[in-house]
Every structure is written in C-alpha cells, then in structure tokens.
Amino acid sequence: MSGASLAACLHSLQAVVFDTDGVITDSARLHAAAWKGAFDACLAAAGGQRPFDPVDDYLHYVDGRSRQDGAAAFLRARGLDLPLGTPDDAPGTDTVGAVAARKDELFTARLRTEAVATWPGTVRLLRVLRDLGVPCAAVSASRHATELLSAAGVLGLFQAVVDGNEARRLQLPGKPDPALFVEAARRLGVPAADTAVVEDALAGVEAGRRGGFGLVVGVDRTAGPYSATALRRRGADVVVADPGELLTAGEEG
C-alpha cells in the first residue's frame, strides 16, 4: 500500500482482513442480548447462578468465537458440565449444542425487527482501500455475517467473505486458531505476512498474531477491562478506538 490517505502502518501491506461484528457492523449488542437469553435460561435451570453479563461475560467468553465454542467456554466457566451435543441440536438448555441453537434462534428473531448499522469509520476506510485497489475480506464466526453485510449495503466492498457457514463447510477451527483469517488471505491471493488483520475480540487478535499476519490492529470500543492493554497482550501491534483512525486526517474530514 502507498499514499497519504492511509496511516503509515498500512503502507507496506497488500491486503486487509476485517472481523465483522464490532468492527464492520454494530451487531455485537444483538449477539450479546441473544446470548443472555440463551444462557440465563440455562443458568436458571441450574439454580444458584448469577445471570449472564452482556458486557464482561460476552467479551471474555463468547466474543469472536463460534457459537458452539462460546457456549462451551461460558458454561464450563460457570461449572455447568452439560453434554456437548451437536450443532444440529434443537434449541434448549440440556446440551451445549442446544444452548448455542437457542442463541441463534434469538439472534435471528432480533434480525427480523432490528436494523444493524455499520461503523462509519470502518466504511470510510473500506472505501479508501477500494479506491486504492487494496483487496479486502470480511471474516466472522457467525453464519449470519454475509446476510448482515448484504443488508447493510457493504458486501460489495469485499473481495471475499469467510463466515460461519464457510467455516463449517471447510471444517475450519474457530478463533483463536488463525484458520479463518488464513483462508481469507488465501482467497485474496496475498500471503499472511503481507496482510493486515483488523479485529476487536481478544480471541481474534490472538488469531492474527498466531497466523503470522503482517499487522494486527486491535479495535478498542469498550474502554473497559478488555481494553488496549489486553489487546496488546494478545498480540495487537496497533490499537485504535475506531478503524477510521487508520486514515490520515485529510481523508477523515
């Protein structure tokens, strides 16, 4: 990359891979609310458990992970030893797969009634990258990611999308394994070492580091306990409050 429109940290790179929820789309709150509904039913059935926290618990256990992995991580942390089940289990509370399916059911219902916005700074950055001919990909553990990007009108800004459906089809492990990002870079035809990753989840930042990507940008929108320090510890080379900060002042104005 070259030109005054991009921050210096991007100039030597040839492609950018973006996480979706929390980076491109403002959908993390919908995911968190759906997880709360699914987990709280399970916790109530177990008894003696405090409710799921849609901020701290979401960031610590499920953000950036596949539904199955996120459900397993949170339930294990609460000492609930449910059978694993399968991703095809009916929604419920008796298996990890059932809890994950209930989350998806609640999230899908919210999508029917609530619009999902994009983050303006990310869209500005994507348009500049497009104008410069820099290929971009979107990555997400969610099977709804392509649908969300299309509904938000930004799907055309990406040369590749690796969502949860593709991850399942290709049997790619979830973050913090770098497989999703590596597959996205492969589809763009650019080596990981020449590709930047833009990610807000701790598991995703770790995946970028483990994948040997040329630049890992952490996005810190929380200003909470999982902030810049935590992102850097997981492997972020640069931390920004919004991806729009990767543009020079002239492009943002």
Side-chain angles (χ1 to χ4, degrees), residues 236-253:
D237 302 298
V238 176
V239 175
V240 296
D242 182 87
E245 293 176 23
L246 297 172
L247 294 171
T248 62
E251 288 294 339
E252 285 190 292

PDB file of all heavy atoms in Angstrom, residues 236-253:
ATOM      1  N   ALA A 236      -1.896  -7.471  19.513  1.00  0.00           N
ATOM      2  CA  ALA A 236      -2.150  -6.310  18.656  1.00  0.00           C
ATOM      3  C   ALA A 236      -0.894  -5.458  18.528  1.00  0.00           C
ATOM      4  O   ALA A 236      -0.269  -5.106  19.526  1.00  0.00           O
ATOM      5  CB  ALA A 236      -3.296  -5.477  19.211  1.00  0.00           C
ATOM      6  N   ASP A 237      -0.524  -5.127  17.290  1.00  0.00           N
ATOM      7  CA  ASP A 237       0.603  -4.225  17.051  1.00  0.00           C
ATOM      8  C   ASP A 237       0.200  -2.775  17.246  1.00  0.00           C
ATOM      9  O   ASP A 237       0.996  -1.940  17.681  1.00  0.00           O
ATOM     10  CB  ASP A 237       1.119  -4.406  15.617  1.00  0.00           C
ATOM     11  CG  ASP A 237       1.560  -5.828  15.330  1.00  0.00           C
ATOM     12  OD1 ASP A 237       2.496  -6.300  16.001  1.00  0.00           O
ATOM     13  OD2 ASP A 237       0.948  -6.475  14.452  1.00  0.00           O
ATOM     14  N   VAL A 238      -1.057  -2.475  16.897  1.00  0.00           N
ATOM     15  CA  VAL A 238      -1.616  -1.127  16.979  1.00  0.00           C
ATOM     16  C   VAL A 238      -3.010  -1.256  17.569  1.00  0.00           C
ATOM     17  O   VAL A 238      -3.730  -2.209  17.258  1.00  0.00           O
ATOM     18  CB  VAL A 238      -1.698  -0.471  15.574  1.00  0.00           C
ATOM     19  CG1 VAL A 238      -2.377   0.883  15.647  1.00  0.00           C
ATOM     20  CG2 VAL A 238      -0.329  -0.353  14.952  1.00  0.00           C
ATOM     21  N   VAL A 239      -3.405  -0.328  18.424  1.00  0.00           N
ATOM     22  CA  VAL A 239      -4.767  -0.313  18.964  1.00  0.00           C
ATOM     23  C   VAL A 239      -5.409   1.027  18.631  1.00  0.00           C
ATOM     24  O   VAL A 239      -4.813   2.090  18.852  1.00  0.00           O
ATOM     25  CB  VAL A 239      -4.780  -0.551  20.484  1.00  0.00           C
ATOM     26  CG1 VAL A 239      -6.204  -0.417  21.033  1.00  0.00           C
ATOM     27  CG2 VAL A 239      -4.212  -1.927  20.816  1.00  0.00           C
ATOM     28  N   VAL A 240      -6.625   0.987  18.080  1.00  0.00           N
ATOM     29  CA  VAL A 240      -7.373   2.194  17.734  1.00  0.00           C
ATOM     30  C   VAL A 240      -8.763   2.105  18.352  1.00  0.00           C
ATOM     31  O   VAL A 240      -9.265   1.019  18.639  1.00  0.00           O
ATOM     32  CB  VAL A 240      -7.492   2.372  16.202  1.00  0.00           C
ATOM     33  CG1 VAL A 240      -6.127   2.580  15.568  1.00  0.00           C
ATOM     34  CG2 VAL A 240      -8.209   1.179  15.562  1.00  0.00           C
ATOM     35  N   ALA A 241      -9.376   3.250  18.570  1.00  0.00           N
ATOM     36  CA  ALA A 241     -10.752   3.270  19.061  1.00  0.00           C
ATOM     37  C   ALA A 241     -11.736   2.979  17.940  1.00  0.00           C
ATOM     38  O   ALA A 241     -12.855   2.512  18.194  1.00  0.00           O
ATOM     39  CB  ALA A 241     -11.068   4.619  19.700  1.00  0.00           C
ATOM     40  N   ASP A 242     -11.311   3.235  16.702  1.00  0.00           N
ATOM     41  CA  ASP A 242     -12.154   3.011  15.528  1.00  0.00           C
ATOM     42  C   ASP A 242     -11.234   2.841  14.328  1.00  0.00           C
ATOM     43  O   ASP A 242     -10.208   3.538  14.218  1.00  0.00           O
ATOM     44  CB  ASP A 242     -13.087   4.202  15.307  1.00  0.00           C
ATOM     45  CG  ASP A 242     -14.007   3.987  14.123  1.00  0.00           C
ATOM     46  OD1 ASP A 242     -15.094   3.387  14.329  1.00  0.00           O
ATOM     47  OD2 ASP A 242     -13.655   4.384  13.002  1.00  0.00           O
ATOM     48  N   PRO A 243     -11.552   1.924  13.396  1.00  0.00           N
ATOM     49  CA  PRO A 243     -10.695   1.756  12.222  1.00  0.00           C
ATOM     50  C   PRO A 243     -10.527   2.998  11.372  1.00  0.00           C
ATOM     51  O   PRO A 243      -9.565   3.102  10.606  1.00  0.00           O
ATOM     52  CB  PRO A 243     -11.404   0.632  11.445  1.00  0.00           C
ATOM     53  CG  PRO A 243     -12.085  -0.168  12.500  1.00  0.00           C
ATOM     54  CD  PRO A 243     -12.573   0.868  13.488  1.00  0.00           C
ATOM     55  N   GLY A 244     -11.438   3.947  11.502  1.00  0.00           N
ATOM     56  CA  GLY A 244     -11.264   5.215  10.784  1.00  0.00           C
ATOM     57  C   GLY A 244      -9.986   5.929  11.151  1.00  0.00           C
ATOM     58  O   GLY A 244      -9.487   6.764  10.376  1.00  0.00           O
ATOM     59  N   GLU A 245      -9.405   5.596  12.313  1.00  0.00           N
ATOM     60  CA  GLU A 245      -8.140   6.204  12.712  1.00  0.00           C
ATOM     61  C   GLU A 245      -6.965   5.735  11.839  1.00  0.00           C
ATOM     62  O   GLU A 245      -5.881   6.305  11.899  1.00  0.00           O
ATOM     63  CB  GLU A 245      -7.856   5.887  14.177  1.00  0.00           C
ATOM     64  CG  GLU A 245      -8.822   6.535  15.138  1.00  0.00           C
ATOM     65  CD  GLU A 245      -8.578   6.126  16.584  1.00  0.00           C
ATOM     66  OE1 GLU A 245      -7.437   5.718  16.902  1.00  0.00           O
ATOM     67  OE2 GLU A 245      -9.523   6.209  17.385  1.00  0.00           O
ATOM     68  N   LEU A 246      -7.196   4.719  11.023  1.00  0.00           N
ATOM     69  CA  LEU A 246      -6.159   4.254  10.106  1.00  0.00           C
ATOM     70  C   LEU A 246      -6.135   5.075   8.833  1.00  0.00           C
ATOM     71  O   LEU A 246      -5.356   4.771   7.915  1.00  0.00           O
ATOM     72  CB  LEU A 246      -6.389   2.768   9.780  1.00  0.00           C
ATOM     73  CG  LEU A 246      -6.284   1.826  10.988  1.00  0.00           C
ATOM     74  CD1 LEU A 246      -6.734   0.419  10.592  1.00  0.00           C
ATOM     75  CD2 LEU A 246      -4.864   1.807  11.537  1.00  0.00           C
ATOM     76  N   LEU A 247      -6.946   6.106   8.767  1.00  0.00           N
ATOM     77  CA  LEU A 247      -6.900   7.084   7.687  1.00  0.00           C
ATOM     78  C   LEU A 247      -6.218   8.349   8.198  1.00  0.00           C
ATOM     79  O   LEU A 247      -6.315   8.685   9.368  1.00  0.00           O
ATOM     80  CB  LEU A 247      -8.327   7.438   7.233  1.00  0.00           C
ATOM     81  CG  LEU A 247      -9.133   6.323   6.568  1.00  0.00           C
ATOM     82  CD1 LEU A 247     -10.572   6.772   6.403  1.00  0.00           C
ATOM     83  CD2 LEU A 247      -8.519   5.949   5.220  1.00  0.00           C
ATOM     84  N   THR A 248      -5.555   9.048   7.294  1.00  0.00           N
ATOM     85  CA  THR A 248      -4.987  10.334   7.666  1.00  0.00           C
ATOM     86  C   THR A 248      -6.108  11.344   7.891  1.00  0.00           C
ATOM     87  O   THR A 248      -7.229  11.149   7.445  1.00  0.00           O
ATOM     88  CB  THR A 248      -4.042  10.860   6.564  1.00  0.00           C
ATOM     89  OG1 THR A 248      -4.806  11.061   5.371  1.00  0.00           O
ATOM     90  CG2 THR A 248      -2.919   9.878   6.311  1.00  0.00           C
ATOM     91  N   ALA A 249      -5.777  12.431   8.552  1.00  0.00           N
ATOM     92  CA  ALA A 249      -6.783  13.445   8.895  1.00  0.00           C
ATOM     93  C   ALA A 249      -7.463  13.982   7.647  1.00  0.00           C
ATOM     94  O   ALA A 249      -8.652  14.281   7.647  1.00  0.00           O
ATOM     95  CB  ALA A 249      -6.153  14.586   9.675  1.00  0.00           C
ATOM     96  N   GLY A 250      -6.725  14.052   6.550  1.00  0.00           N
ATOM     97  CA  GLY A 250      -7.284  14.576   5.324  1.00  0.00           C
ATOM     98  C   GLY A 250      -8.418  13.736   4.794  1.00  0.00           C
ATOM     99  O   GLY A 250      -9.391  14.241   4.248  1.00  0.00           O
ATOM    100  N   GLU A 251      -8.313  12.376   4.950  1.00  0.00           N
ATOM    101  CA  GLU A 251      -9.363  11.509   4.444  1.00  0.00           C
ATOM    102  C   GLU A 251     -10.572  11.435   5.388  1.00  0.00           C
ATOM    103  O   GLU A 251     -11.661  11.161   4.977  1.00  0.00           O
ATOM    104  CB  GLU A 251      -8.800  10.079   4.243  1.00  0.00           C
ATOM    105  CG  GLU A 251      -7.859   9.983   3.066  1.00  0.00           C
ATOM    106  CD  GLU A 251      -8.559  10.227   1.745  1.00  0.00           C
ATOM    107  OE1 GLU A 251      -9.783  10.087   1.676  1.00  0.00           O
ATOM    108  OE2 GLU A 251      -7.892  10.561   0.772  1.00  0.00           O
ATOM    109  N   GLU A 252     -10.340  11.680   6.667  1.00  0.00           N
ATOM    110  CA  GLU A 252     -11.446  11.549   7.599  1.00  0.00           C
ATOM    111  C   GLU A 252     -12.328  12.797   7.625  1.00  0.00           C
ATOM    112  O   GLU A 252     -13.460  12.741   8.063  1.00  0.00           O
ATOM    113  CB  GLU A 252     -10.917  11.317   9.016  1.00  0.00           C
ATOM    114  CG  GLU A 252     -10.388   9.922   9.235  1.00  0.00           C
ATOM    115  CD  GLU A 252     -10.110   9.668  10.696  1.00  0.00           C
ATOM    116  OE1 GLU A 252      -9.187  10.296  11.211  1.00  0.00           O
ATOM    117  OE2 GLU A 252     -10.832   8.859  11.305  1.00  0.00           O
ATOM    118  N   GLY A 253     -11.824  13.892   7.164  1.00  0.00           N
ATOM    119  CA  GLY A 253     -12.539  15.135   7.335  1.00  0.00           C
ATOM    120  C   GLY A 253     -13.720  15.320   6.450  1.00  0.00           C
ATOM    121  O   GLY A 253     -14.248  14.526   5.784  1.00  0.00           O
TER     122      GLY A 253
END
